[in-house]
Amino acid sequence: MTAPAGARPLRAVRQAEPGKRPEGRRRQWAVVWLLSPAGLVMAAFSVAPVLFLVFTSFTDYNQRTLFTGEFSMVGTKQYADMFDDPEFWKSLVRSMLFTVTMVAGSITMGVGVAQLLTRLRTAMRMTVTVVLIFAWAMPNVASSLVWKWLFQPGYGVVNWLLTQMHVFGDMTNTDWGQSASLAYLSIWSLVVWQAVPFIALTLYAALTQLPLELPEAARLDGAGEWRVWWSVTLPFLRPTLLLVTIMSVIWDFNVFNQIWLVSAGGPDNATSTLGIFAYKTAFVSFRIGQGAALSVITTAILLGITAVYIRNLLRSGEDL
């Protein structure tokens, strides 16, 4: 088969331009060079510590190791000892139940605040938005300390307000940290208060993208406001709700500062979640190897939750 008149053979074209690289390969190398600084930072501060954590979980790292550097490989002994410890299972159950209640509370209140923002006038909406941003931007260590002062017996503002309401009796000297239920309630309210701003603003941003003709058409068909929200607004918010729910699960499952600063896991380990248990194991009892094993198990649980989210995200993309 002869080439068309005036056409140059492919070999001739390649010989005529020997130094020219294909455009696709050039773009690939550009992407690699642009991402390499971020990749090096992630490898140094994320991948390497995780690998060292996994390695440590198979050793007998302890207080002696910190001074002498000596340790021995013990295989899966740390994991076996951890699974035989009843306190591990109690901490795991506490973490799961506490995470469920915190995520449910923060998502419910976040949805309510987001809906409220859609009904406020511009000036009031901007005021509420600024207040939410300030609440969200406050460091959790500072907010936890302030929260603990609010619930202090004797001079705590919350105790004073509850006493003035004359509903629960005299609560002036009530120590919230010495009661398991009150300690959980205090920590729960603190975590939810910190989580609501992000959830509310994220959902409000999604609500602003809802086409106005959809709820209007539902109202013309005779649907009430609750039916419009359930059948139109909620399906539109489902991808964003899934995102903030998974992120809330990851954040709340890892809550440490708020619990440690408010109750230190007490009373009698009643608020000791996996994070508190791992910290006490590694840095109070100096069983660093077993603390590392606890952290590996926690990371595996969170990776499983993240995998579920990614799977659902890919499925939703295939359905579009």
Side-chain angles (χ1 to χ4, degrees), residues 8 21 44 48 63 77 93 163 176 178 189 217 231 265 288 311:
R8 299 173 62 188
R21 295 181 179 180
Q63 190 173 11
K77 180 179 182 301
V93 172
T163 302
W176 291 66
Q178 296 302 315
S189 58
S231 300
I288 300 176
R311 182 180 179 184

Side-chain angles (χ1 to χ4, degrees), residues 86-299:
E87 188 59 33
F88 164 74
W89 297 105
K90 294 178 182 178
S91 300
L92 179 60
V93 172
R94 292 191 200 104
S95 297
M96 291 183 173
L97 294 178
F98 206 21
T99 299
V100 169
T101 56
M102 288 188 294
V103 171
S106 57
I107 293 296
T108 302
M109 295 186 184
V111 170
V113 174
Q115 286 292 138
L116 176 65
L117 288 173
T118 62
R119 299 176 181 273
L120 295 177
R121 296 183 180 272
T122 303
M124 183 57 69
R125 183 169 61 249
M126 291 297 297
T127 302
V128 174
T129 301
V130 171
V131 171
L132 290 173
I133 292 175
F134 275 124
W136 182 51
M138 182 178 294
N140 56 34
V141 173
S143 59
S144 299
L145 292 175
V146 173
W147 205 264
K148 186 175 182 178
W149 294 338
L150 292 175
F151 289 85
Q152 280 292 323
Y155 60 86
V157 176
V158 174
N159 288 352
W160 179 83
L161 288 174
L162 292 175
T163 302
Q164 298 303 312
M165 292 172 60
H166 302 289
V167 177
F168 305 99
D170 187 1
M171 297 192 64
T172 305
N173 296 316
T174 301
D175 190 350
W176 291 66
Q178 296 302 315
S179 171
S181 58
L182 293 180
Y184 266 116
L185 180 60
S186 175
I187 297 170
W188 178 87
S189 58
L190 170 60
V191 174
V192 170
W193 172 76
Q194 292 175 330
V196 163
F198 172 79
I199 297 173
L201 293 177
T202 302
L203 294 177
Y204 170 69
L207 285 172
T208 59
Q209 305 303 312
L210 176 65
L212 297 178
E213 57 269 16
L214 295 181
E216 291 178 358
R219 293 187 184 97
L220 289 175
D221 290 338
E225 291 300 320
W226 170 251
R227 188 64 182 177
V228 169
W229 188 87
W230 183 261
S231 300
V232 178
T233 305
L234 184 59
F236 183 81
L237 288 178
R238 186 171 293 129
T240 308
L241 272 174
L242 178 61
L243 172 63
V244 296
T245 300
I246 295 297
M247 295 180 68
S248 297
V249 169
I250 295 174
W251 291 338
D252 294 345
F253 197 84
N254 281 322
V255 165
F256 175 81
N257 289 337
Q258 294 89 329
I259 300 176
W260 183 256
L261 293 174
V262 172
S263 67
D268 297 328
N269 292 328
T271 58
S272 179
T273 57
L274 272 183
I276 301 296
F277 182 51
Y279 177 81
K280 288 183 175 180
T281 301
F283 301 111
V284 177
S285 302
F286 284 103
R287 291 178 292 162
I288 300 176
Q290 191 169 7
L294 279 167
S295 300
V296 170
I297 293 298
T298 303
T299 304

